[in-house]
Amino acid sequence: MDIDVIEQLLENYKIGKVPMHDVLEKIRELPYKDIGFAKVDSHRKIRCGFPEVIFCLGKTPEQVVKIAGHIVAGENDMLATRATREMYEAVSREFPEAVYHEQARTITIRKTRRKPHKGLILIITAGTSDIPVAEEARVTAEIMGNTVRVLYDVGVAGIHRLMKNHSELLKANVIIVVAGMEGALASVVGGLVDCPVIGVPTSIGYGASFSGITPLLSMLNSCASGVSVVNIDNGFGAAYAASLINRTKK
Amino acid sequence: MDIDVIEQLLENYKIGKVPMHDVLEKIRELPYKDIGFAKVDSHRKIRCGFPEVIFCLGKTPEQVVKIAGHIVAGENDMLATRATREMYEAVSREFPEAVYHEQARTITIRKTRRKPHKGLILIITAGTSDIPVAEEARVTAEIMGNTVRVLYDVGVAGIHRLMKNHSELLKANVIIVVAGMEGALASVVGGLVDCPVIGVPTSIGYGASFSGITPLLSMLNSCASGVSVVNIDNGFGAAYAASLINRTKK
Amino acid sequence: MDIDVIEQLLENYKIGKVPMHDVLEKIRELPYKDIGFAKVDSHRKIRCGFPEVIFCLGKTPEQVVKIAGHIVAGENDMLATRATREMYEAVSREFPEAVYHEQARTITIRKTRRKPHKGLILIITAGTSDIPVAEEARVTAEIMGNTVRVLYDVGVAGIHRLMKNHSELLKANVIIVVAGMEGALASVVGGLVDCPVIGVPTSIGYGASFSGITPLLSMLNSCASGVSVVNIDNGFGAAYAASLINRTKK
Amino acid sequence: MDIDVIEQLLENYKIGKVPMHDVLEKIRELPYKDIGFAKVDSHRKIRCGFPEVIFCLGKTPEQVVKIAGHIVAGENDMLATRATREMYEAVSREFPEAVYHEQARTITIRKTRRKPHKGLILIITAGTSDIPVAEEARVTAEIMGNTVRVLYDVGVAGIHRLMKNHSELLKANVIIVVAGMEGALASVVGGLVDCPVIGVPTSIGYGASFSGITPLLSMLNSCASGVSVVNIDNGFGAAYAASLINRTKK
Amino acid sequence: MDIDVIEQLLENYKIGKVPMHDVLEKIRELPYKDIGFAKVDSHRKIRCGFPEVIFCLGKTPEQVVKIAGHIVAGENDMLATRATREMYEAVSREFPEAVYHEQARTITIRKTRRKPHKGLILIITAGTSDIPVAEEARVTAEIMGNTVRVLYDVGVAGIHRLMKNHSELLKANVIIVVAGMEGALASVVGGLVDCPVIGVPTSIGYGASFSGITPLLSMLNSCASGVSVVNIDNGFGAAYAASLINRTKK
Amino acid sequence: MDIDVIEQLLENYKIGKVPMHDVLEKIRELPYKDIGFAKVDSHRKIRCGFPEVIFCLGKTPEQVVKIAGHIVAGENDMLATRATREMYEAVSREFPEAVYHEQARTITIRKTRRKPHKGLILIITAGTSDIPVAEEARVTAEIMGNTVRVLYDVGVAGIHRLMKNHSELLKANVIIVVAGMEGALASVVGGLVDCPVIGVPTSIGYGASFSGITPLLSMLNSCASGVSVVNIDNGFGAAYAASLINRTKK
Amino acid sequence: MDIDVIEQLLENYKIGKVPMHDVLEKIRELPYKDIGFAKVDSHRKIRCGFPEVIFCLGKTPEQVVKIAGHIVAGENDMLATRATREMYEAVSREFPEAVYHEQARTITIRKTRRKPHKGLILIITAGTSDIPVAEEARVTAEIMGNTVRVLYDVGVAGIHRLMKNHSELLKANVIIVVAGMEGALASVVGGLVDCPVIGVPTSIGYGASFSGITPLLSMLNSCASGVSVVNIDNGFGAAYAASLINRTKK
Amino acid sequence: MDIDVIEQLLENYKIGKVPMHDVLEKIRELPYKDIGFAKVDSHRKIRCGFPEVIFCLGKTPEQVVKIAGHIVAGENDMLATRATREMYEAVSREFPEAVYHEQARTITIRKTRRKPHKGLILIITAGTSDIPVAEEARVTAEIMGNTVRVLYDVGVAGIHRLMKNHSELLKANVIIVVAGMEGALASVVGGLVDCPVIGVPTSIGYGASFSGITPLLSMLNSCASGVSVVNIDNGFGAAYAASLINRTKK
C-alpha cells in the first residue's frame, strides 16, 4: 500500500465516497498477511527491496511450506535459510521448481528474471571448513540479483595463496570474508583493497575459539579500516548487506 | 610504486641498464616510510583510497606531529582520531590550518578540494550521550568527501521521534546507527530502509550494558537484515566503511 | 495453619488442655508434606496465593505423579512446567482430567472454578520461534485465573506489524514480551504503553545470541522505563509475576 | 496531539479549510520538541503516564538545565537521575524549588499536587551499602505519586531481621528488593509474599561479585516465583515499574 | 615409605651394607605404583588420610577395574566417583562385594571396619533435582567414616521448611549445602549456625543459571561468613573436605 | 533471647501475668538493634559464635564508629575489615584501645580474654604481593581466638621453598592458602596434608589473571581433594571458616 | 619454486626466450595446488620446514583422501589430525602404509627416512584422562623427526610422583605439559627446569573447568617463567612448536 | 647446593664426622634466603639458568631494593620488571650502575660478561603502541645474553611492510610477535617462517578488544602452526621463553 493509495483514499473521503471511519481504519491497516502463527511481511519488498526471507530454525516443515506459499503467491523470489532436507522435500512437493543447496542449507524458488547488478561480490574463505557458510552467502547474493565469485581456502597461514589472487580482490565491489579460528583474513584483505569488506566469523575451530567468539572479536578489532561484521556463521546476513551495497552502483 | 614502474624497470634490465640484483632488490622494496618508531604507510592511498589515519591512543603528541607531517607532506588530507586537545595544540603549532573537533576528539587538516560523492550518509543516534561517537563518524565521513546529515536522539523509547523522520531515512545511501544501552535502534532502522545500515554500539549505559557489550551483541543479532557492525565506540570505522560504500555510487 | 489456630492453641494451653511441650512442638511444625524425596509446600497457597508449581526438569514421571497427587488432594489447581509427554501420560493415568499443552510443555489439572481477574494480560512474541515460551506463559496465566490475549510474530524488523496493533497494546493491564535474537521488541513496546512490561528473553537465535544472553542483556538495558525481566525462556515466571500484578486491579 | 485533534483536522480538510498537503504533514508531525542536541519527548506523559525523565550520565549541566526547562514548562513534575551536585546547582539557579537528594543522586521539581495511589510500595535492602540505590527508587516512586516505606539492612545473613518484619512485607502492594553480594534476599522475600517482587541487583561487593553480575544472575534464577529483575543499580527503573503496577490498584 | 625406613637405610649405608648409589636411589624412589597408563598414589593414605579415589570420567571400565584392584590389594576402602553402571558391572565381576549407588553414580568397596567419627555431617539440598549431587556427598562421607544425615528439598522459596529443621542444623559439626538455581540456601544456612558450611553449587536450572555458574558465584559472595565453596556438582569434594573437618573433633 | 526466656514467658502467660498479645509480640521480636541505617545483629554471637563483623566498604567513618559502638557496648570483640586509616582514626577517637592493622586494612578492639583454641591455623602465601590478604586472614583468626602461624612467599615457581617447610604444614589443623596468578599452590598443598585447606584467590597478577578469576577457577578445580574456596581477596572469610573448623577440635 | 627458478626466468627473459608478460605472470604464480575445494600449500615444506598437515575436523573422508594424495605425491610425510577411524579406512584403501593412532586420533604416512634430531622432547600429563591429547603430541613430534619420551599421570595432587622423575625432566630439550582441571603442573614443571616448557590445557574436568578455560588461564598466568601456551587440547600445535625448537639444537 | 655437596655430606656422615640428625637436617635445607617478607630463590640460577627476576607490581621501593641487593650480592645479573621510576631511584641510590629502561619499565644491573648466544631473537610489533611491551621483551632478552633485533609497526593492515622484511624474519632463531587489536600478525608471521614464534597479546585497543582478550584468543587459535602464546602484555615472559629456546642452539 503506497502513498498513491492514501491520496486516493483521502480524495474519496473528501467527496463523501468514503466515511471518516474507513479512512481511520485504512490508515491503521498495514500491509502484512496474518496466517495465525506468523505475520508475513508482504510489504517488505517495497520497503527494503527484497521480500521476507524464511529463517527455518525452530519452524516445522509445514510452517515453512505455508510461509513459502504466501511469498511465492506474490510472484516473489523465495529464499529459505537454515533449511533441512526434510523441509526442502516438503516445499518441493508444493513447488517442484524449488532448488535445495545442500552445503548452504538453503532452498530457493526463482520467480523473477532480471539482469544482475553490475558490481561483483567476491566471497573468500580462510579454510575449506568455512565453505558451508560461504555457500549460504553465495546462494543469498545470487537470488538477490548479484554476480558472485568465490575464492576458497586462502587463509593467512599460507598468505601467498591470497597474494596470488590480489588482482581478483581488486575487481570486487564488495568482499565477504568468511573465516573461523582467529579470523585474521578479514584484516589482511581489508588492508589490500579499497572496497567495503564484510567479515563473517565462523564457528570453525575448537577450544579457545569458543564457537566463533574469537574470530568475531578479531574481526571487530580489525586493524584495517572499512571492515564491518555480522553474526557468527551468518552468511545470509553478510550477503544481504553486500547486496544492498552492490545495488547502489549504477 | 605502480605497475608502470615495474615494467620500466624490467625493460631497463633487459637492455642492460639495470643489473639483475637491482631488479630483485626493487621488487622487494615496498612503498612505506620508515621513521624509526613507525612505518608510515604512504602507499595506502593508492591501495585503499584514503591515506593512513592516525590512531592517537597510546602515542605521544610528538609522535602524532611527526606522523602527521609525513602525511601532509604528500599533499594528503590528514585525519587523527582519539586525539587530545594537547595533541591538537602540538599539531597546530606546525600546521596552523589544523582543525580540532572537540566532541569528536579528532584533528583534521584538509589539503585536497574535490566535489563530494553524490550519495548521502545519514548518522543517527539513540540518545544525546551517543553524540561524541557520532561526531567522530561525521568528521571522518566529511574529510573522506561525503555529504553527511545527522539525526540525534531518536531512540526507540519514543519511537515516534524516529517515525516522524522516516522520509529522511529513505534519502540516505548508507545509514550509521550509533546506540548504547540495548542498541535496539539498529534493528528498527534496518527494518525500515533498503540501504546498508552500519551499527556502532557505544559504551553508554551502566550495569549490565557492560561498557557496550550489550548493544554490540544486540546489533550482531539484529532481526533486520542488512545490518553490519563495527567495534564499540568506533565511529571512525563505521564512517570509513560507509564512505567506501558511498563511493561506489556514481 | 493460620493465626487463628495458634490463638486457639494458646488458649487451650492456658486452660491446661495442652501441655507446654505440645505448644512448642506445634509452633515448630510448619505446614509442608514430607514425602521423602520432596517437601511439598502445602502452605504456599495461603502464603503466596497459588499452590506450589511442579518444575519437572530433572524429576522422574513417578515423582511428578506423586507430587501432583499431593497438590490435587488439597483441591488445588495443578500446574506442571517443562513436562514431557511421557510425564503427562503418567499423570493422566492417575488424573484423567489432566490436560497436556504440547507447545507449552505443561500439564494442568483444574480443580477450582472462579471468575477470572478483570485485567487483561497480553502476550507478544517477536517471532514464530518464540511461541513455545509464550504458550508456557499463556497456560500459566490462564490457570492462575487471568484473561489472556496473544499477539505473535510482531518483531521490530517489520515494525508496522506492531504499530497496527497499537490499540491492542493499550487495552492490556500487563504485557509480556517474548523475544529472542536482539530482544529489541521489549524496548519498543515499553515506550508505547503505560502498563508494566515483563520481558522474557528466549534462547532463539545462533552465534552471538549465546542461547539468550543477548536478549537478556538487551531487555535489562531497555531504554524504555517500566520493563522488568525474568530468566531466559522463563514463560512461566513472567506469567506468574504478571498474574500477581493483575490481581491487584479490582 | 490526540485522536480528537486528528478528527478535527480531517473535518476541516473535508470542508476545504485545510489542503491535503497539510493533512499529510500533520500526520507526520509527532509531538516532540527538537532542541538541537535532544528531542524532548513531550508526548510521553500522554503515552506512558509520566513525563520524560532526565538520565544525567554523560550530559553537561547546561544540557540538564535546558531539558529540565522544557519539562517544567509543561507544568510537569521533573525527575533527573544520576545527577551530580554540580548539575543540581545549575538547575537550582533556574528553578529554586528544585530539591537535591544526596544519597539518591537525583533532582526533583514537583509541579503537580495529586493524592498518592492507594497501594504501598515497600523498598527493602540487604545491607547498608545498598541504601543509595534504594533511595533512588524511593525518590522516583514518591515523585510518581506513591506511598513508600523502606526497610533497610535485613539481609539473609541474619534472617530473623527479615522475619520479624514479615507483617510489614504483607502490607505492600509491590516490593522492591535491593541487594548486592549474592542477592539471596529477593528469593527469600519472593517466597514469603503474594505481591509482585522487583529485584534490583547492586554493584556492592568485590571479587566474584563482578560489579553486580552475581546478584543479577541470582535474582534472575530466583527459586521463588513472581520475581522480576531490572538492571544493576537501577533503582529508578524498579520504582518506575513498581509505580506502573501500583497504579493499577483502584 | 616412612622416616623409619630412611633411618634404617642410612644406618645400613654407614656400616657398609648399602652403597651410596643405592641411598641416593632410594631417596629418589617415591611410593607410587606405576601401572603404565597411571601412577597409583599408594602413599596417599599415609599422607592425606584416605587412599586415592578413582575419578572415572574419561577412563575405560578396564582402567577402573585395574586401578580399583591396586587400591583394594592394599586392604583399603575403595571409592570410585562419576562411575557408570557399565563400570560397576566390570568392577563387580572382580569384586563381588562392590556396591553401586545409582543416584550418586559411585562404586564403593568397604575393606575396613572402624567406628565412625563422633561429629555429624549434615547434607542439605534446596530442591529434589539436587539430590544426585547430595548422594555423591553422602556416599563419600560415609565411606570415609562419618555419620551423615540428610535434609532434602528445603530451599528458600518456602523458608519455613528450613526453619522447622533449625534444631537439626544445630546438631551438625559440618553442613554441606547443595543448591542450584540461585544458590541462596547456603547464605541462609550460614547465617543460622556456628559450624563450617561448605557450599556445592549444582548445574540444576536453565537459561541464566549457566550450568551452575550462578549458584557458584552466589555462594562465593555469601553474605554469611563461614561459607566456603567447591566446584559445581562436586559432591565428592565437599564431603572429602567435610570429612577432614569432622576428623578434627575428638 | 533464648529458649529459657520463651518458656518463662509462656509460664507467665499461663498464670495470667502476661496477656496473649504480649506473647505473640515477643515471639515476633527478634534480637537486633535498629539504629536507623542499620540493624545490628546483636544476636549473632549466640547464633554463630562470633559477634557481627563490620564490612567497611561503602560505609562512612561515622557509620563505622556508630556500629562499632553497639558491638563494643555488648562487651564483644570488635572486628572491622576493609577499613581505611581515616575510619580507624574516627574509631580510635571513641575507643582509644582500637588497633589498626595497616597491611590487613582492619581495625580490632579486644574486649574478651580467653585461652586460644588448641589447633593451629597456618596461613601460606604464594608471593609477597599476596601478603595483605593473608594479613586480613591473620588478624581475623587471631581476634577469633586462634593460634596462627604464617609462611609467606612459598609459591610453586620454586617448589623447594614449600617442600622445605613440609613439616610446618603437617602441624596445622587448618591451612589457608593465599595465592594470585595461577593459584597452583592450593593444589600442591592440598596434596601434601591431611587437614582441610581453604583457598583464597587474590587479585594479584595482570592480563589474563582477570583480577583473580584465574586463581579462583584454578582453586575450584584443584586436583587435590579437600580444598574449598572463598571469594577473591577474602582473607576474612577464609579465616572465619578456618576458625569455625578449628573450634571443633577439643 | 625457489630463487634459482626466478633467476633463470629473468635470464631467459633478457635473452628474449620469455616475453615480459610471462615473467609478470610467473611472479604471480605462487606454489600451491588448487584442487577445487582446497588450495594445498605445496610450498609450505620449503617455507616452514614441514609439509601441510591435514586438520580433519569438518572435512569428508573423500576430501581427506584427496588432500593426503597430493601431499604423498610430493614424497612428503603425511600427518592428519582429528581423524576418525572412518577417515583412516578411506585413506588406507589408497595408501595401505597409512597408520592409525587410535588414542591420538591421527593418521600418519611416513615417506622419508632421516635421523631424528638429537634433542629430546618430553611429554608429561597430569592425569590419565589427558593421555589422548598427549598422544596427539607424541605422534606429531615423532613424524616430525624427534625423539620423544612420555611421563603420564604425574599431577600435583601427589607431587612426589613428579619429584621422583626430576632427573627425567632435566634430560629434555623441550617439555610439553598436558593438563586439565587447574593445570598447575605447568607452573611446577616450569620452576624445576631450564628448558622451554609448552603448556597444553585440556578440556578434562567439569563444572568450573569450563571445558579447558581454567587450565588455559592458569598456564597463561604461570608464576614460573619460560612457559608458553597453545590452544585447549592442541597436542598437535604444542608438538609442532616443540619440534621447531628442537631442530635448533645441533 | 648441588649434588657434590650432598655426596660430601654423606661421606662425612659415614666416617662419623657428621651425625645422622645433621644429614637429615641438611637434606631439608633448601637453598633460598628468607628475608622476612620474601624467600629469595637463590637456587634458581642453578636450576633454571637465570637468577630470580623481581616482579615489582605490588612491592614497595624498599622491598625492591632489598631483594635486588640479595640478587646482586651473588654476583648475578639483576632484572626488575614493571618497575616505576621511583623504584629505580631507590635502587640506583644503592647500586649506581643500575640502568632504567623508561619505555620497558625495567631496571637492570649487569654483573656478568659473557659472549651472547649465537642465535638471533627478532621482536616484531604490529603498531607503535605495542612498543613498550616489546621493549620489555628486548631488555629481558638482552640481559639474558641474547642478540636481539626489532622490527616495529609492521601490522597486517599494510602487509607489504611485513613482506618487505621477509628476509629479516628468516634470519631469526626465535621470533616474538607483539600485537594488540586483533593480533593477526602472529598468524601471518607463523605462516612465513620455520622457527618458533611466541605471541604476546597486548592490551592495546578499545571496546571489544577487552584489554587484550581478543588478541590473546586470536593468537591461541592461530591457523599457522608453531605459535605459542604468553599472557597479555607479558613481554618479559616471551623473552624468557625465547631465551631458553635460543640457548639450545650451539
Side-chain angles (χ1 to χ4, degrees), chain B residues 128-190:
Chain B
T128 55
S129 309
D130 301 313
I131 292 177
V133 174
E135 283 294 299
E136 190 188 73
R138 191 182 57 73
V139 172
T140 301
E142 285 178 356
I143 192 100
M144 289 181 77
N146 300 281
T147 306
V148 180
R149 281 200 208 149
V150 300
L151 192 55
Y152 290 165
D153 197 25
V154 294
V156 302
I159 206 165
H160 58 292
R161 297 180 299 187
L162 179 71
M163 289 321 214
K164 180 163 167 198
N165 289 287
H166 197 168
S167 62
E168 282 302 299
L169 303 184
L170 298 180
K171 289 175 194 153
N173 200 27
V174 199
I175 298 179
I176 294 171
V177 176
V178 182
M181 305 189 88
E182 94 286 59
L185 186 58
S187 294
V188 174
V189 170

Side-chain angles (χ1 to χ4, degrees), chain A residues 121-192:
Chain A
I121 295 178
L122 177 67
I123 303 172
I124 306 180
T125 75
T128 56
S129 309
D130 302 313
I131 292 177
V133 174
E135 282 295 299
E136 189 188 73
R138 191 183 57 72
V139 172
T140 300
E142 285 177 356
I143 192 99
M144 289 182 76
N146 300 282
T147 306
V148 180
R149 282 201 205 147
V150 300
L151 190 56
Y152 290 165
D153 197 26
V154 293
V156 303
I159 204 164
H160 58 292
R161 297 179 299 187
L162 178 70
M163 289 321 214
K164 179 162 170 200
N165 290 287
H166 196 170
S167 61
E168 282 301 300
L169 303 184
L170 297 180
K171 287 175 195 154
N173 200 28
V174 200
I175 298 178
I176 295 171
V177 175
V178 182
M181 304 189 89
E182 94 285 59
L185 186 59
S187 295
V188 174
V189 170
L192 291 172

Side-chain angles (χ1 to χ4, degrees), chain H residues 83 99-108 135 138-139 142:
Chain H
V99 178
Y100 190 55
H101 309 264
E102 189 88 41
Q103 272 191 301
R105 289 169 307 158
T106 59
I107 310 167
T108 50
E135 283 294 299
R138 191 182 56 73
V139 172
E142 285 178 355

Side-chain angles (χ1 to χ4, degrees), chain B residues 157 159 182 187 191 208 218 221 223, chain C residues 157 159 163 182 187 191 208 218 221 223:
Chain B
I159 206 165
E182 94 286 59
S187 294
S218 195
N221 285 281
C223 57
Chain C
I159 205 164
M163 288 322 213
E182 93 286 59
S187 294
S218 195
N221 286 282
C223 56

Side-chain angles (χ1 to χ4, degrees), chain A residues 155-160 163 181-185 187-188 190-192 205-210 213-214 217-225, chain H residues 155-160 163 181-185 187-188 190-192 205-210 213-214 217-225:
Chain A
V156 303
I159 204 164
H160 58 292
M163 289 321 214
M181 304 189 89
E182 94 285 59
L185 186 59
S187 295
V188 174
L192 291 172
Y206 62 93
S209 87
F210 299 133
I213 294 180
T214 295
L217 293 180
S218 195
M219 289 175 178
L220 285 167
N221 286 281
S222 172
C223 57
S225 307
Chain H
V156 302
I159 205 165
H160 58 293
M163 290 320 214
M181 304 189 89
E182 93 286 59
L185 186 59
S187 295
V188 174
L192 291 172
Y206 61 94
S209 89
F210 299 132
I213 294 178
T214 295
L217 294 180
S218 194
M219 289 176 178
L220 284 167
N221 285 282
S222 171
C223 57
S225 307

Side-chain angles (χ1 to χ4, degrees), chain C residues 3 7 27 29 43 63 76 81 92 94 98 116 125-126 128 179 201 215:
Chain C
I3 200 74
E7 282 186 13
I27 284 166
E29 205 169 83
H43 181 250
Q63 290 177 322
N76 291 308
T81 63
S92 70
E94 291 283 316
T125 74
T128 56

